[in-house]
PDB file of all heavy atoms in Angstrom:
ATOM      1  N   SER A   1     264.757 278.291  96.905  1.00  0.00           N
ATOM      2  CA  SER A   1     264.514 278.121  95.520  1.00  0.00           C
ATOM      3  C   SER A   1     264.331 276.691  95.207  1.00  0.00           C
ATOM      4  O   SER A   1     263.998 276.276  94.094  1.00  0.00           O
ATOM      5  CB  SER A   1     265.606 278.754  94.675  1.00  0.00           C
ATOM      6  OG  SER A   1     266.910 277.971  94.647  1.00  0.00           O
ATOM      7  N   HIS A   2     264.277 275.815  96.021  1.00  0.00           N
ATOM      8  CA  HIS A   2     264.152 274.351  95.829  1.00  0.00           C
ATOM      9  C   HIS A   2     262.625 274.008  95.416  1.00  0.00           C
ATOM     10  O   HIS A   2     261.729 274.727  95.993  1.00  0.00           O
ATOM     11  CB  HIS A   2     264.558 273.457  96.923  1.00  0.00           C
ATOM     12  CG  HIS A   2     264.684 272.070  96.513  1.00  0.00           C
ATOM     13  ND1 HIS A   2     263.614 271.060  96.527  1.00  0.00           N
ATOM     14  CD2 HIS A   2     265.694 271.274  95.993  1.00  0.00           C
ATOM     15  CE1 HIS A   2     264.046 269.938  96.212  1.00  0.00           C
ATOM     16  NE2 HIS A   2     265.290 270.010  95.903  1.00  0.00           N
ATOM     17  N   TRP A   3     262.398 273.206  94.589  1.00  0.00           N
ATOM     18  CA  TRP A   3     260.899 272.790  94.349  1.00  0.00           C
ATOM     19  C   TRP A   3     260.337 272.332  95.461  1.00  0.00           C
ATOM     20  O   TRP A   3     260.940 271.953  96.559  1.00  0.00           O
ATOM     21  CB  TRP A   3     260.990 271.587  93.210  1.00  0.00           C
ATOM     22  CG  TRP A   3     261.528 272.012  91.901  1.00  0.00           C
ATOM     23  CD1 TRP A   3     262.098 273.103  91.454  1.00  0.00           C
ATOM     24  CD2 TRP A   3     261.519 271.204  90.715  1.00  0.00           C
ATOM     25  NE1 TRP A   3     262.362 273.285  90.190  1.00  0.00           N
ATOM     26  CE2 TRP A   3     262.129 271.989  89.626  1.00  0.00           C
ATOM     27  CE3 TRP A   3     261.205 269.901  90.461  1.00  0.00           C
ATOM     28  CZ2 TRP A   3     262.153 271.449  88.441  1.00  0.00           C
ATOM     29  CZ3 TRP A   3     261.247 269.445  89.160  1.00  0.00           C
ATOM     30  CH2 TRP A   3     261.799 270.122  88.196  1.00  0.00           C
ATOM     31  N   ILE A   4     259.087 272.287  95.457  1.00  0.00           N
ATOM     32  CA  ILE A   4     258.263 271.731  96.757  1.00  0.00           C
ATOM     33  C   ILE A   4     258.290 270.280  96.464  1.00  0.00           C
ATOM     34  O   ILE A   4     257.664 269.851  95.561  1.00  0.00           O
ATOM     35  CB  ILE A   4     256.817 272.350  96.688  1.00  0.00           C
ATOM     36  CG1 ILE A   4     256.881 273.951  96.696  1.00  0.00           C
ATOM     37  CG2 ILE A   4     256.045 271.923  97.877  1.00  0.00           C
ATOM     38  CD1 ILE A   4     255.451 274.514  96.468  1.00  0.00           C
ATOM     39  N   ASP A   5     258.998 269.640  97.446  1.00  0.00           N
ATOM     40  CA  ASP A   5     259.283 268.245  97.247  1.00  0.00           C
ATOM     41  C   ASP A   5     258.951 267.418  98.542  1.00  0.00           C
ATOM     42  O   ASP A   5     259.530 267.472  99.523  1.00  0.00           O
ATOM     43  CB  ASP A   5     260.816 268.108  96.885  1.00  0.00           C
ATOM     44  CG  ASP A   5     261.254 266.631  96.936  1.00  0.00           C
ATOM     45  OD1 ASP A   5     260.439 265.745  96.651  1.00  0.00           O
ATOM     46  OD2 ASP A   5     262.468 266.450  97.057  1.00  0.00           O
ATOM     47  N   SER A   6     257.902 266.689  98.455  1.00  0.00           N
ATOM     48  CA  SER A   6     257.622 265.692  99.493  1.00  0.00           C
ATOM     49  C   SER A   6     257.639 264.285  98.992  1.00  0.00           C
ATOM     50  O   SER A   6     256.973 263.964  97.995  1.00  0.00           O
ATOM     51  CB  SER A   6     256.138 265.985 100.072  1.00  0.00           C
ATOM     52  OG  SER A   6     255.758 264.956 100.977  1.00  0.00           O
ATOM     53  N   HIS A   7     258.422 263.489  99.709  1.00  0.00           N
ATOM     54  CA  HIS A   7     258.392 262.065  99.381  1.00  0.00           C
ATOM     55  C   HIS A   7     257.082 261.407  99.837  1.00  0.00           C
ATOM     56  O   HIS A   7     256.412 262.100 100.567  1.00  0.00           O
ATOM     57  CB  HIS A   7     259.707 261.398 100.043  1.00  0.00           C
ATOM     58  CG  HIS A   7     260.870 261.537  99.140  1.00  0.00           C
ATOM     59  ND1 HIS A   7     261.609 260.355  98.739  1.00  0.00           N
ATOM     60  CD2 HIS A   7     261.472 262.433  98.648  1.00  0.00           C
ATOM     61  CE1 HIS A   7     262.697 260.729  98.137  1.00  0.00           C
ATOM     62  NE2 HIS A   7     262.603 262.035  97.994  1.00  0.00           N
ATOM     63  N   HIS A   8     256.868 260.173  99.435  1.00  0.00           N
ATOM     64  CA  HIS A   8     255.586 259.543  99.903  1.00  0.00           C
ATOM     65  C   HIS A   8     255.599 259.470 101.418  1.00  0.00           C
ATOM     66  O   HIS A   8     256.550 259.230 102.016  1.00  0.00           O
ATOM     67  CB  HIS A   8     255.486 258.240  99.189  1.00  0.00           C
ATOM     68  CG  HIS A   8     255.308 258.288  97.689  1.00  0.00           C
ATOM     69  ND1 HIS A   8     256.082 257.791  96.790  1.00  0.00           N
ATOM     70  CD2 HIS A   8     254.249 258.860  96.979  1.00  0.00           C
ATOM     71  CE1 HIS A   8     255.706 258.004  95.563  1.00  0.00           C
ATOM     72  NE2 HIS A   8     254.526 258.740  95.612  1.00  0.00           N
ATOM     73  N   VAL A   9     254.310 259.448 101.983  1.00  0.00           N
ATOM     74  CA  VAL A   9     254.135 259.369 103.246  1.00  0.00           C
ATOM     75  C   VAL A   9     253.633 258.038 103.767  1.00  0.00           C
ATOM     76  O   VAL A   9     254.123 257.528 104.744  1.00  0.00           O
ATOM     77  CB  VAL A   9     253.086 260.536 103.699  1.00  0.00           C
ATOM     78  CG1 VAL A   9     252.753 260.333 105.184  1.00  0.00           C
ATOM     79  CG2 VAL A   9     253.608 261.849 103.487  1.00  0.00           C
ATOM     80  N   GLN A  10     252.777 257.377 102.971  1.00  0.00           N
ATOM     81  CA  GLN A  10     252.247 256.147 103.443  1.00  0.00           C
ATOM     82  C   GLN A  10     251.848 255.242 102.136  1.00  0.00           C
ATOM     83  O   GLN A  10     251.615 255.771 101.054  1.00  0.00           O
ATOM     84  CB  GLN A  10     251.196 256.212 104.292  1.00  0.00           C
ATOM     85  CG  GLN A  10     249.952 257.095 103.892  1.00  0.00           C
ATOM     86  CD  GLN A  10     248.954 257.480 104.979  1.00  0.00           C
ATOM     87  OE1 GLN A  10     248.883 256.763 105.999  1.00  0.00           O
ATOM     88  NE2 GLN A  10     248.183 258.510 104.800  1.00  0.00           N
ATOM     89  N   ARG A  11     251.769 254.006 102.363  1.00  0.00           N
ATOM     90  CA  ARG A  11     251.252 253.046 101.303  1.00  0.00           C
ATOM     91  C   ARG A  11     249.786 252.569 101.605  1.00  0.00           C
ATOM     92  O   ARG A  11     249.488 252.194 102.674  1.00  0.00           O
ATOM     93  CB  ARG A  11     252.163 251.834 101.256  1.00  0.00           C
ATOM     94  CG  ARG A  11     253.578 252.233 101.114  1.00  0.00           C
ATOM     95  CD  ARG A  11     254.420 250.980 100.617  1.00  0.00           C
ATOM     96  NE  ARG A  11     255.036 251.269  99.300  1.00  0.00           N
ATOM     97  CZ  ARG A  11     255.877 250.581  98.775  1.00  0.00           C
ATOM     98  NH1 ARG A  11     256.244 249.402  99.251  1.00  0.00           N
ATOM     99  NH2 ARG A  11     256.419 250.880  97.630  1.00  0.00           N
ATOM    100  N   VAL A  12     249.048 252.787 100.656  1.00  0.00           N
ATOM    101  CA  VAL A  12     247.509 252.695 100.762  1.00  0.00           C
ATOM    102  C   VAL A  12     246.957 251.628  99.965  1.00  0.00           C
ATOM    103  O   VAL A  12     247.207 251.538  98.755  1.00  0.00           O
ATOM    104  CB  VAL A  12     246.743 254.031 100.399  1.00  0.00           C
ATOM    105  CG1 VAL A  12     245.300 253.783 100.772  1.00  0.00           C
ATOM    106  CG2 VAL A  12     247.340 255.166 101.252  1.00  0.00           C
ATOM    107  N   ALA A  13     246.330 250.545 100.512  1.00  0.00           N
ATOM    108  CA  ALA A  13     245.671 249.432  99.788  1.00  0.00           C
ATOM    109  C   ALA A  13     244.389 249.960  99.079  1.00  0.00           C
ATOM    110  O   ALA A  13     243.537 250.564  99.798  1.00  0.00           O
ATOM    111  CB  ALA A  13     245.450 248.334 100.687  1.00  0.00           C
ATOM    112  N   VAL A  14     244.392 249.909  97.763  1.00  0.00           N
ATOM    113  CA  VAL A  14     243.180 250.390  97.056  1.00  0.00           C
ATOM    114  C   VAL A  14     242.333 249.350  96.540  1.00  0.00           C
ATOM    115  O   VAL A  14     241.123 249.347  96.049  1.00  0.00           O
ATOM    116  CB  VAL A  14     243.508 251.242  95.939  1.00  0.00           C
ATOM    117  CG1 VAL A  14     244.167 252.614  96.538  1.00  0.00           C
ATOM    118  CG2 VAL A  14     244.490 250.653  94.958  1.00  0.00           C
ATOM    119  N   SER A  15     242.907 247.994  96.630  1.00  0.00           N
ATOM    120  CA  SER A  15     242.139 246.806  96.238  1.00  0.00           C
ATOM    121  C   SER A  15     242.995 245.645  96.699  1.00  0.00           C
ATOM    122  O   SER A  15     244.013 245.820  97.333  1.00  0.00           O
ATOM    123  CB  SER A  15     241.963 246.689  94.680  1.00  0.00           C
ATOM    124  OG  SER A  15     243.214 246.379  94.067  1.00  0.00           O
ATOM    125  N   LYS A  16     242.491 244.431  96.603  1.00  0.00           N
ATOM    126  CA  LYS A  16     243.186 243.192  96.885  1.00  0.00           C
ATOM    127  C   LYS A  16     244.446 243.090  96.054  1.00  0.00           C
ATOM    128  O   LYS A  16     245.341 242.354  96.585  1.00  0.00           O
ATOM    129  CB  LYS A  16     242.267 241.899  96.757  1.00  0.00           C
ATOM    130  CG  LYS A  16     241.122 242.018  97.741  1.00  0.00           C
ATOM    131  CD  LYS A  16     241.565 241.834  99.097  1.00  0.00           C
ATOM    132  CE  LYS A  16     240.352 241.861 100.041  1.00  0.00           C
ATOM    133  NZ  LYS A  16     240.828 241.675 101.502  1.00  0.00           N
ATOM    134  N   THR A  17     244.492 243.742  94.990  1.00  0.00           N
ATOM    135  CA  THR A  17     245.748 243.412  94.129  1.00  0.00           C
ATOM    136  C   THR A  17     246.534 244.673  93.776  1.00  0.00           C
ATOM    137  O   THR A  17     247.592 244.671  93.052  1.00  0.00           O
ATOM    138  CB  THR A  17     245.218 242.851  92.851  1.00  0.00           C
ATOM    139  OG1 THR A  17     244.343 243.787  92.035  1.00  0.00           O
ATOM    140  CG2 THR A  17     244.602 241.561  92.898  1.00  0.00           C
ATOM    141  N   GLN A  18     246.061 245.872  94.307  1.00  0.00           N
ATOM    142  CA  GLN A  18     246.782 247.136  94.036  1.00  0.00           C
ATOM    143  C   GLN A  18     246.993 247.892  95.273  1.00  0.00           C
ATOM    144  O   GLN A  18     246.185 247.828  96.217  1.00  0.00           O
ATOM    145  CB  GLN A  18     246.003 247.881  93.047  1.00  0.00           C
ATOM    146  CG  GLN A  18     245.894 247.419  91.744  1.00  0.00           C
ATOM    147  CD  GLN A  18     245.166 248.319  90.741  1.00  0.00           C
ATOM    148  OE1 GLN A  18     244.235 248.980  91.158  1.00  0.00           O
ATOM    149  NE2 GLN A  18     245.575 248.506  89.528  1.00  0.00           N
ATOM    150  N   PHE A  19     248.026 248.745  95.369  1.00  0.00           N
ATOM    151  CA  PHE A  19     248.273 249.721  96.310  1.00  0.00           C
ATOM    152  C   PHE A  19     248.778 250.999  95.709  1.00  0.00           C
ATOM    153  O   PHE A  19     249.247 250.955  94.427  1.00  0.00           O
ATOM    154  CB  PHE A  19     249.129 249.325  97.448  1.00  0.00           C
ATOM    155  CG  PHE A  19     250.574 249.202  97.023  1.00  0.00           C
ATOM    156  CD1 PHE A  19     251.510 250.384  97.114  1.00  0.00           C
ATOM    157  CD2 PHE A  19     251.210 248.041  96.458  1.00  0.00           C
ATOM    158  CE1 PHE A  19     252.789 250.217  96.859  1.00  0.00           C
ATOM    159  CE2 PHE A  19     252.555 248.060  96.212  1.00  0.00           C
ATOM    160  CZ  PHE A  19     253.379 249.096  96.354  1.00  0.00           C
ATOM    161  N   VAL A  20     248.646 252.154  96.444  1.00  0.00           N
ATOM    162  CA  VAL A  20     249.213 253.465  95.822  1.00  0.00           C
ATOM    163  C   VAL A  20     250.102 254.011  96.905  1.00  0.00           C
ATOM    164  O   VAL A  20     249.786 253.937  98.200  1.00  0.00           O
ATOM    165  CB  VAL A  20     248.191 254.331  95.433  1.00  0.00           C
ATOM    166  CG1 VAL A  20     247.307 254.847  96.591  1.00  0.00           C
ATOM    167  CG2 VAL A  20     248.600 255.500  94.717  1.00  0.00           C
ATOM    168  N   ASN A  21     251.285 254.654  96.415  1.00  0.00           N
ATOM    169  CA  ASN A  21     252.031 255.427  97.328  1.00  0.00           C
ATOM    170  C   ASN A  21     251.494 256.783  97.402  1.00  0.00           C
ATOM    171  O   ASN A  21     251.300 257.559  96.509  1.00  0.00           O
ATOM    172  CB  ASN A  21     253.463 255.598  96.789  1.00  0.00           C
ATOM    173  CG  ASN A  21     254.182 254.209  96.964  1.00  0.00           C
ATOM    174  OD1 ASN A  21     253.941 253.547  97.861  1.00  0.00           O
ATOM    175  ND2 ASN A  21     255.027 253.903  95.867  1.00  0.00           N
ATOM    176  N   GLU A  22     251.147 257.279  98.673  1.00  0.00           N
ATOM    177  CA  GLU A  22     250.362 258.551  98.909  1.00  0.00           C
ATOM    178  C   GLU A  22     251.271 259.605  99.558  1.00  0.00           C
ATOM    179  O   GLU A  22     252.128 259.316 100.309  1.00  0.00           O
ATOM    180  CB  GLU A  22     249.107 258.224  99.857  1.00  0.00           C
ATOM    181  CG  GLU A  22     248.301 259.491 100.072  1.00  0.00           C
ATOM    182  CD  GLU A  22     248.796 260.186 101.261  1.00  0.00           C
ATOM    183  OE1 GLU A  22     249.206 259.675 102.284  1.00  0.00           O
ATOM    184  OE2 GLU A  22     248.729 261.453 101.220  1.00  0.00           O
ATOM    185  N   GLY A  23     250.977 260.812  99.071  1.00  0.00           N
ATOM    186  CA  GLY A  23     251.620 262.006  99.731  1.00  0.00           C
ATOM    187  C   GLY A  23     252.655 262.713  98.957  1.00  0.00           C
ATOM    188  O   GLY A  23     253.240 263.728  99.427  1.00  0.00           O
ATOM    189  N   ARG A  24     253.016 262.261  97.670  1.00  0.00           N
ATOM    190  CA  ARG A  24     253.978 262.836  96.873  1.00  0.00           C
ATOM    191  C   ARG A  24     253.611 264.328  96.471  1.00  0.00           C
ATOM    192  O   ARG A  24     252.343 264.603  95.974  1.00  0.00           O
ATOM    193  CB  ARG A  24     254.303 262.005  95.648  1.00  0.00           C
ATOM    194  CG  ARG A  24     255.341 262.525  94.738  1.00  0.00           C
ATOM    195  CD  ARG A  24     256.677 262.442  95.225  1.00  0.00           C
ATOM    196  NE  ARG A  24     257.734 262.368  94.329  1.00  0.00           N
ATOM    197  CZ  ARG A  24     258.801 263.331  94.493  1.00  0.00           C
ATOM    198  NH1 ARG A  24     258.950 263.872  95.701  1.00  0.00           N
ATOM    199  NH2 ARG A  24     259.751 263.315  93.579  1.00  0.00           N
ATOM    200  N   ILE A  25     254.615 265.237  96.592  1.00  0.00           N
ATOM    201  CA  ILE A  25     254.488 266.568  96.010  1.00  0.00           C
ATOM    202  C   ILE A  25     255.868 266.825  95.189  1.00  0.00           C
ATOM    203  O   ILE A  25     256.865 266.576  95.760  1.00  0.00           O
ATOM    204  CB  ILE A  25     254.433 267.581  97.115  1.00  0.00           C
ATOM    205  CG1 ILE A  25     253.249 267.424  97.942  1.00  0.00           C
ATOM    206  CG2 ILE A  25     254.201 268.973  96.283  1.00  0.00           C
ATOM    207  CD1 ILE A  25     253.097 268.462  98.972  1.00  0.00           C
ATOM    208  N   TRP A  26     255.743 267.134  94.033  1.00  0.00           N
ATOM    209  CA  TRP A  26     256.909 267.431  93.200  1.00  0.00           C
ATOM    210  C   TRP A  26     256.432 268.553  92.306  1.00  0.00           C
ATOM    211  O   TRP A  26     256.199 268.401  91.099  1.00  0.00           O
ATOM    212  CB  TRP A  26     257.297 266.290  92.311  1.00  0.00           C
ATOM    213  CG  TRP A  26     258.674 266.308  91.722  1.00  0.00           C
ATOM    214  CD1 TRP A  26     258.864 265.961  90.394  1.00  0.00           C
ATOM    215  CD2 TRP A  26     259.813 266.466  92.108  1.00  0.00           C
ATOM    216  NE1 TRP A  26     260.087 266.074  90.041  1.00  0.00           N
ATOM    217  CE2 TRP A  26     260.801 266.435  91.095  1.00  0.00           C
ATOM    218  CE3 TRP A  26     260.328 266.983  93.443  1.00  0.00           C
ATOM    219  CZ2 TRP A  26     262.194 266.723  91.259  1.00  0.00           C
ATOM    220  CZ3 TRP A  26     261.710 267.114  93.661  1.00  0.00           C
ATOM    221  CH2 TRP A  26     262.610 267.014  92.569  1.00  0.00           C
ATOM    222  N   GLU A  27     256.545 269.835  92.890  1.00  0.00           N
ATOM    223  CA  GLU A  27     255.993 270.978  92.262  1.00  0.00           C
ATOM    224  C   GLU A  27     257.175 272.005  91.883  1.00  0.00           C
ATOM    225  O   GLU A  27     257.892 272.431  92.770  1.00  0.00           O
ATOM    226  CB  GLU A  27     254.963 271.623  93.168  1.00  0.00           C
ATOM    227  CG  GLU A  27     254.271 272.852  92.588  1.00  0.00           C
ATOM    228  CD  GLU A  27     253.199 272.356  91.688  1.00  0.00           C
ATOM    229  OE1 GLU A  27     252.759 271.220  91.648  1.00  0.00           O
ATOM    230  OE2 GLU A  27     252.743 273.332  90.875  1.00  0.00           O
ATOM    231  N   PRO A  28     257.447 272.153  90.554  1.00  0.00           N
ATOM    232  CA  PRO A  28     258.357 273.150  90.266  1.00  0.00           C
ATOM    233  C   PRO A  28     258.116 274.563  90.508  1.00  0.00           C
ATOM    234  O   PRO A  28     257.013 274.911  90.513  1.00  0.00           O
ATOM    235  CB  PRO A  28     258.646 272.825  88.820  1.00  0.00           C
ATOM    236  CG  PRO A  28     257.250 272.361  88.256  1.00  0.00           C
ATOM    237  CD  PRO A  28     256.739 271.563  89.364  1.00  0.00           C
ATOM    238  N   ILE A  29     259.149 275.356  90.938  1.00  0.00           N
ATOM    239  CA  ILE A  29     259.050 276.698  91.071  1.00  0.00           C
ATOM    240  C   ILE A  29     259.912 277.386  90.083  1.00  0.00           C
ATOM    241  O   ILE A  29     261.032 276.940  89.776  1.00  0.00           O
ATOM    242  CB  ILE A  29     259.297 277.165  92.475  1.00  0.00           C
ATOM    243  CG1 ILE A  29     260.683 276.917  92.916  1.00  0.00           C
ATOM    244  CG2 ILE A  29     258.222 276.369  93.505  1.00  0.00           C
ATOM    245  CD1 ILE A  29     260.848 277.573  94.273  1.00  0.00           C
ATOM    246  N   SER A  30     259.491 278.506  89.591  1.00  0.00           N
ATOM    247  CA  SER A  30     260.358 279.246  88.537  1.00  0.00           C
ATOM    248  C   SER A  30     261.262 280.294  89.040  1.00  0.00           C
ATOM    249  O   SER A  30     262.159 280.850  88.229  1.00  0.00           O
ATOM    250  CB  SER A  30     259.369 279.795  87.407  1.00  0.00           C
ATOM    251  OG  SER A  30     258.452 280.786  88.091  1.00  0.00           O
ATOM    252  N   GLN A  31     261.037 280.821  90.198  1.00  0.00           N
ATOM    253  CA  GLN A  31     261.854 281.842  90.778  1.00  0.00           C
ATOM    254  C   GLN A  31     262.036 281.609  92.264  1.00  0.00           C
ATOM    255  O   GLN A  31     261.429 280.964  92.954  1.00  0.00           O
ATOM    256  CB  GLN A  31     260.955 283.162  90.687  1.00  0.00           C
ATOM    257  CG  GLN A  31     260.689 283.641  89.307  1.00  0.00           C
ATOM    258  CD  GLN A  31     261.880 283.975  88.344  1.00  0.00           C
ATOM    259  OE1 GLN A  31     262.814 284.523  89.018  1.00  0.00           O
ATOM    260  NE2 GLN A  31     261.742 283.641  87.136  1.00  0.00           N
ATOM    261  N   PRO A  32     263.106 282.221  92.758  1.00  0.00           N
ATOM    262  CA  PRO A  32     263.491 282.122  94.240  1.00  0.00           C
ATOM    263  C   PRO A  32     262.486 282.942  94.943  1.00  0.00           C
ATOM    264  O   PRO A  32     261.668 283.783  94.382  1.00  0.00           O
ATOM    265  CB  PRO A  32     264.810 282.786  94.322  1.00  0.00           C
ATOM    266  CG  PRO A  32     264.934 283.681  93.169  1.00  0.00           C
ATOM    267  CD  PRO A  32     264.194 283.182  92.133  1.00  0.00           C
ATOM    268  N   TYR A  33     262.454 282.678  96.386  1.00  0.00           N
ATOM    269  CA  TYR A  33     261.611 283.462  97.224  1.00  0.00           C
ATOM    270  C   TYR A  33     262.319 283.941  98.467  1.00  0.00           C
ATOM    271  O   TYR A  33     263.390 283.119  98.759  1.00  0.00           O
ATOM    272  CB  TYR A  33     260.431 282.624  97.568  1.00  0.00           C
ATOM    273  CG  TYR A  33     260.735 281.341  98.178  1.00  0.00           C
ATOM    274  CD1 TYR A  33     260.823 281.087  99.619  1.00  0.00           C
ATOM    275  CD2 TYR A  33     260.826 280.219  97.330  1.00  0.00           C
ATOM    276  CE1 TYR A  33     261.163 279.954 100.120  1.00  0.00           C
ATOM    277  CE2 TYR A  33     261.081 279.059  97.958  1.00  0.00           C
ATOM    278  CZ  TYR A  33     261.186 278.799  99.261  1.00  0.00           C
ATOM    279  OH  TYR A  33     261.579 277.636  99.917  1.00  0.00           O
ATOM    280  N   GLU A  34     261.976 284.906  99.116  1.00  0.00           N
ATOM    281  CA  GLU A  34     262.553 285.491 100.324  1.00  0.00           C
ATOM    282  C   GLU A  34     262.039 284.767 101.605  1.00  0.00           C
ATOM    283  O   GLU A  34     260.785 284.494 101.583  1.00  0.00           O
ATOM    284  CB  GLU A  34     262.369 286.893 100.427  1.00  0.00           C
ATOM    285  CG  GLU A  34     263.047 287.588  99.189  1.00  0.00           C
ATOM    286  CD  GLU A  34     262.770 289.212  99.194  1.00  0.00           C
ATOM    287  OE1 GLU A  34     262.079 289.672 100.140  1.00  0.00           O
ATOM    288  OE2 GLU A  34     263.096 289.767  98.256  1.00  0.00           O
ATOM    289  N   ILE A  35     262.777 284.417 102.551  1.00  0.00           N
ATOM    290  CA  ILE A  35     262.354 283.796 103.773  1.00  0.00           C
ATOM    291  C   ILE A  35     262.372 284.824 104.894  1.00  0.00           C
ATOM    292  O   ILE A  35     263.446 285.425 105.199  1.00  0.00           O
ATOM    293  CB  ILE A  35     263.258 282.616 104.061  1.00  0.00           C
ATOM    294  CG1 ILE A  35     263.345 281.741 102.922  1.00  0.00           C
ATOM    295  CG2 ILE A  35     262.835 281.911 105.313  1.00  0.00           C
ATOM    296  CD1 ILE A  35     264.247 280.542 103.098  1.00  0.00           C
ATOM    297  N   SER A  36     261.375 284.908 105.698  1.00  0.00           N
ATOM    298  CA  SER A  36     261.168 285.868 106.707  1.00  0.00           C
ATOM    299  C   SER A  36     261.978 285.410 107.996  1.00  0.00           C
ATOM    300  O   SER A  36     262.050 284.305 108.260  1.00  0.00           O
ATOM    301  CB  SER A  36     259.712 285.990 107.091  1.00  0.00           C
ATOM    302  OG  SER A  36     259.537 286.791 108.342  1.00  0.00           O
TER     303      SER A  36
END
């Protein structure tokens, strides 16, 4: 039942003065699910 949660994977230079943390997932789920 945990949210779909990925921490960032890598740091990406998008310009000479900026970067972005890439790979984040933070997706809420409203109900539990069964695992096979």
Side-chain angles (χ1 to χ4, degrees):
S1 68
H2 195 274
W3 291 6
I4 305 174
D5 174 19
S6 173
H7 275 237
H8 292 117
V9 174
Q10 55 192 338
R11 305 198 117 170
V12 183
V14 295
S15 73
K16 292 295 182 182
T17 60
Q18 291 183 323
F19 72 90
V20 66
N21 291 325
E22 181 275 316
R24 181 72 166 133
I25 306 175
W26 190 232
E27 189 73 15
I29 65 174
S30 60
Q31 297 293 327
Y33 56 89
E34 299 170 6
I35 304 172
S36 169

